[in-house]
Amino acid sequence: MVRKILVVDDEVGFTKLLKMNLEKTGQYEVRVENESTKALTTAHEFLPDIVLLDIVMPGMDGGDVAAQMQDDPMLRNIPVIMMTALVSQEETSQDAVAQAGAMNILPKPVNLEVLLRCLEEAFASEAGE
Amino acid sequence: MEKNEFQQQGGEEWKRAGRQSNIDQHSSGVAYLETVIDNLPVGLFAKDASDSFRFVLWNKKQEEITSIPCEQALGKNDYELFSPDSAKYFRQVDELVIARKRKFEVSEEIIDTPESGEVWLHTIKVPIDDVEGQRTLVVGISEDITEQVHAREQLAALNENLTEANQQLQVTQMQLIQAEKMESVGRLAAGVAHEVKNPLALLLLGVEYLSGGIDPCDPNVEDILTEMREAVERADKIIRGLVDFSSQRQLAMELTQLPDLIEHSLLLVRHELKKGNVEVDACYEEGLPDLQIDCAKFEQVLVNLLINAVHAMEDRVKPKIEIQVSAAKLEGIERDEGLRTAHHLRNGDDVVLLKLKDNGGGISDENLQKIFDPFFTTKATGIGTGLGLPVVRKIVELHNGWIDVKNRLLGGVQITITLKVPKSEAERIDM
């Protein structure tokens, strides 16, 4: 079963390569949204199984996107994994992640192996619920 | 006797001068002249050029200056009274005076005296023909200028101290600029790390993709390689920018296009701009002249002002920075606008104007007076040191420029930096 992943990140090159890598596994269909303000619309349209969300983005940051997803009955239950290239502890603390309703946080550069494992765990826990 | 003969010879002169005063009418010739000569406030002496330059006149002041009594001096020559070096010099001047038959002025000479040590003299020597005595005299007047010379030396020493202190001040200023810059580097570091991590993340994904084995028919491969190359260049550019920025150098001016420097600085603060969701609208006039700029130091100015602007707009819904660079002819400068301005910028000068506007809350009138005061800050302790703007102004002044900060009518702050176009560039534009 092919799972649908929505990647929201303003880094065009990074998202392009992330999509290539994930789709290469044959297990995922990936949609990229480089403009965070359009993230919710795209999410409604695409209805992903999981969202990969960057934190620092112009317009709306990852925290805002996650919070709006929480307020949206259609999107509330979609698991979110956050990604960040931030280095300071406070900005990447687990509290902040929990506050944003995200289930995990991955530091950039993202290790593909770790990301794939993270995705598997997410789907496994979802299946287990 | 020699003394009297001389006085008679020159007597006509002094008598004539003396007749103008009342005392003269009651004085008798020679005794009166002796009194006058001895009471002169300058040393007076005469040597007989026809008799090995032996002294024939030596007044009281001359006794005082040289610590040599008259009786001891008369009939002797310089070699018998002074050190060989001094005597040789005096003799050379005497011979010159005789040979040229005219006045000779020695503005400063030193004699060694047993009582007062080194004495500085200002001496004028004239040749006088003694017709009756059939001889030529060298008559000299010496003024003791030891005190003036010492005062001048002290002044020179003070001046040297002052120069040294001034140099020390300049060094300290450079250190202050550098210290403030390192603080900026600290503030920028997190942002720069973020900007570098993104290309790294891309690179890692590229490596992951390609390490699975390269399929020659896979159209992604070329795309991935291009992206990876660009990522390396991007990371390199950002890191190099930070290294250039943090390097300490003496003021190193080079001809530079201001817009290039602005774009560099925007790259350094890209993360802060993105985080603050700040829109940047930069507008550069075409064909701007090159300016003499120390790039690293001026980037410090720009980074400082940009970060200030971002902070000032934190609570704005649509934060926006507008940057305009244009060439202009300076006008409307008041003469009293400030000594520094008056020194470097004049009406009619070709200048480049840099305007940086934000739409933040502006600065209260009270604070506007203080923003350039060292250590004045409205930020919390530990966040702002209050050195940013004073250093900004110092750097602008080092560029002979002028910085002006004012509130915009519709909110926010406008900063204008005026930089003079170097002469050769100005001529190039006029052509």
Side-chain angles (χ1 to χ4, degrees):
Chain A
M1 171 192 178
V2 173
R3 303 277 195 169
K4 294 202 283 186
I5 303 176
L6 172 62
V7 178
V8 182
D9 190 331
D10 63 314
E11 288 288 327
V12 179
F14 171 78
T15 49
K16 195 201 278 180
L17 264 69
L18 187 61
K19 178 179 158 79
M20 286 177 189
N21 271 295
L22 290 173
E23 288 186 342
K24 200 181 176 191
T25 63
Q27 296 175 45
Y28 304 108
E29 180 192 348
V30 179
R31 174 82 73 95
V32 169
E33 181 49 71
N34 292 124
E35 285 179 58
S36 60
T37 45
K38 292 184 186 160
L40 263 66
T41 319
T42 310
H44 273 279
E45 210 177 281
F46 185 56
L47 291 174
D49 296 305
I50 198 163
V51 175
L52 291 179
L53 194 53
D54 184 30
I55 295 184
V56 180
M57 289 183 288
M60 243 167 103
D61 68 24
D64 293 341
V65 174
Q68 288 199 16
M69 281 177 67
Q70 288 282 303
D71 292 342
D72 190 320
M74 287 269 286
L75 308 174
R76 186 176 298 158
N77 295 320
I78 301 174
V80 172
I81 295 176
M82 291 189 121
M83 299 177 295
T84 181
L86 288 174
V87 276
S88 78
Q89 285 294 315
E90 58 190 296
E91 281 168 299
T92 54
S93 73
Q94 287 301 319
D95 279 358
V97 176
Q99 231 170 18
M103 57 186 302
N104 214 334
I105 188 153
L106 291 175
K108 280 184 186 176
V110 178
N111 183 313
L112 193 63
E113 210 179 303
V114 174
L115 174 62
L116 290 174
R117 202 165 52 231
C118 232
L119 289 170
E120 272 166 31
E121 277 168 19
F123 291 129
S125 69
E126 197 184 36
E129 268 168 17
Chain B
M1 277 309 283
E2 279 177 334
K3 195 172 174 183
N4 283 346
E5 277 167 21
F6 167 69
Q7 284 166 350
Q8 280 164 359
Q9 185 272 329
E12 285 302 314
E13 200 70 16
W14 288 313
K15 274 180 194 159
R16 243 188 294 127
R19 261 199 289 276
Q20 289 166 3
S21 85
N22 296 329
I23 313 162
D24 173 58
Q25 286 158 20
H26 308 288
S27 315
S28 66
V30 175
Y32 160 68
L33 273 173
E34 263 182 32
T35 313
V36 170
I37 286 170
D38 272 341
N39 285 295
L40 283 176
V42 290
L44 182 69
F45 58 86
K47 305 171 196 179
D48 185 350
S50 5
D51 183 19
S52 310
F53 293 95
R54 286 180 208 285
F55 284 96
V56 294
L57 175 66
W58 194 266
N59 78 344
K60 264 228 166 61
K61 188 70 186 176
Q62 183 71 2
E63 287 184 327
E64 261 174 52
I65 292 172
T66 59
S67 320
I68 300 170
C70 178
E71 313 80 67
Q72 202 183 311
L74 293 180
K76 305 253 175 59
N77 65 30
D78 287 302
Y79 285 97
E80 294 164 286
L81 297 174
F82 301 109
S83 71
D85 279 353
S86 299
K88 189 178 169 195
Y89 174 71
F90 298 150
R91 180 62 58 82
Q92 281 172 345
V93 174
D94 291 345
E95 281 170 348
L96 206 66
V97 169
I98 296 296
R100 295 208 179 150
K101 290 190 168 53
R102 61 166 195 257
K103 184 180 94 172
F104 193 92
E105 184 167 353
V106 182
S107 48
E108 277 173 21
E109 58 184 2
I110 308 178
I111 52 165
D112 268 317
T113 65
E115 273 174 36
S116 323
E118 275 189 355
V119 175
W120 288 80
L121 299 175
H122 171 214
T123 302
I124 299 170
K125 291 176 173 176
V126 285
I128 294 179
D129 281 328
D130 174 8
V131 184
E132 274 176 38
Q134 294 190 330
R135 58 183 185 173
T136 304
L137 299 171
V138 175
V139 178
I141 298 170
S142 283
E143 191 185 355
D144 185 351
I145 53 164
T146 310
E147 272 181 34
Q148 285 105 298
V149 170
H150 285 172
R152 193 185 62 205
E153 279 170 356
Q154 276 173 359
L155 203 63
L158 278 177
N159 197 33
E160 200 174 305
N161 286 348
L162 203 64
T163 311
E164 212 170 279
N166 196 32
Q167 277 167 356
Q168 191 62 43
L169 187 69
Q170 279 172 4
V171 169
T172 311
Q173 257 168 6
M174 286 294 163
Q175 284 168 345
L176 179 68
I177 289 174
Q178 181 66 7
E180 199 282 334
K181 179 161 42 180
M182 291 326 281
E183 203 196 297
S184 301
V185 170
R187 279 201 299 268
L188 291 177
V192 168
H194 180 262
E195 290 306 303
V196 172
K197 276 187 159 199
N198 274 315
L200 285 181
L202 185 151
L203 284 172
L204 189 59
L205 287 178
V207 170
E208 296 273 12
Y209 191 95
L210 298 174
S211 58
I214 299 169
D215 176 359
C217 303
D218 186 347
N220 285 343
V221 172
E222 200 186 328
D223 206 3
I224 287 173
L225 289 174
T226 308
E227 289 287 349
M228 287 172 82
R229 188 172 298 119
E230 280 170 8
V232 170
E233 280 165 10
R234 185 174 143 199
D236 180 58
K237 205 166 159 186
I238 294 164
I239 290 174
R240 204 168 334 166
L242 191 68
V243 171
D244 283 350
F245 181 74
S246 56
S247 70
Q248 177 169 28
R249 286 174 302 169
Q250 288 303 304
L251 213 58
M253 302 290 194
E254 51 187 315
L255 282 174
T256 309
Q257 277 285 315
L258 193 53
D260 293 347
L261 216 55
I262 294 171
E263 290 299 315
H264 258 227
S265 308
L266 284 171
L267 199 66
L268 280 173
V269 297
R270 205 179 93 107
H271 178 71
E272 279 72 15
L273 293 169
K274 197 159 111 179
K275 224 171 138 188
N277 195 24
V278 177
E279 182 191 343
V280 177
D281 180 8
C283 174
Y284 310 126
E285 194 180 287
E286 278 194 26
L288 285 166
D290 284 344
L291 298 174
Q292 283 286 355
I293 292 180
D294 179 318
C295 295
K297 291 206 170 44
F298 211 79
E299 263 181 25
Q300 189 176 351
V301 167
L302 296 168
V303 165
N304 237 304
L305 297 177
L306 286 167
I307 288 188
N308 273 354
V310 172
H311 285 167
M313 299 186 295
E314 261 163 7
D315 56 348
R316 294 293 167 214
V317 185
K318 282 195 166 181
K320 183 175 177 184
I321 293 178
E322 288 170 67
I323 301 172
Q324 289 158 6
V325 183
S326 57
K329 272 220 189 294
L330 205 59
E331 54 188 33
I333 283 202
E334 302 280 334
R335 277 189 73 84
D336 60 351
E337 194 173 331
L339 200 63
R340 289 186 182 90
T341 329
H343 259 294
H344 302 303
L345 295 172
R346 284 167 216 284
N347 286 333
D349 277 350
D350 285 294
V351 291
V352 167
L353 297 176
L354 162 64
K355 286 187 181 157
L356 196 144
K357 305 174 195 174
D358 67 52
N359 60 358
I363 305 169
S364 74
D365 285 344
E366 189 197 346
N367 287 347
L368 202 55
Q369 308 293 321
K370 300 187 216 151
I371 52 170
F372 288 116
D373 293 351
F375 309 113
F376 173 76
T377 179
T378 56
K379 294 173 190 168
T381 313
I383 294 179
T385 56
L387 282 177
L389 282 176
V391 165
V392 159
R393 182 159 79 174
K394 185 71 227 168
I395 295 174
V396 172
E397 281 172 3
L398 284 172
H399 287 80
N400 295 338
W402 182 249
I403 180 166
D404 176 55
V405 180
K406 63 178 182 197
N407 283 309
R408 298 168 74 187
L409 283 177
L410 299 171
V413 167
Q414 171 173 319
I415 292 168
T416 308
I417 295 180
T418 309
L419 292 170
K420 197 169 161 177
V421 177
K423 254 218 160 82
S424 55
E425 281 293 307
E427 279 160 10
R428 195 176 60 82
I429 298 162
D430 285 344
M431 280 194 313

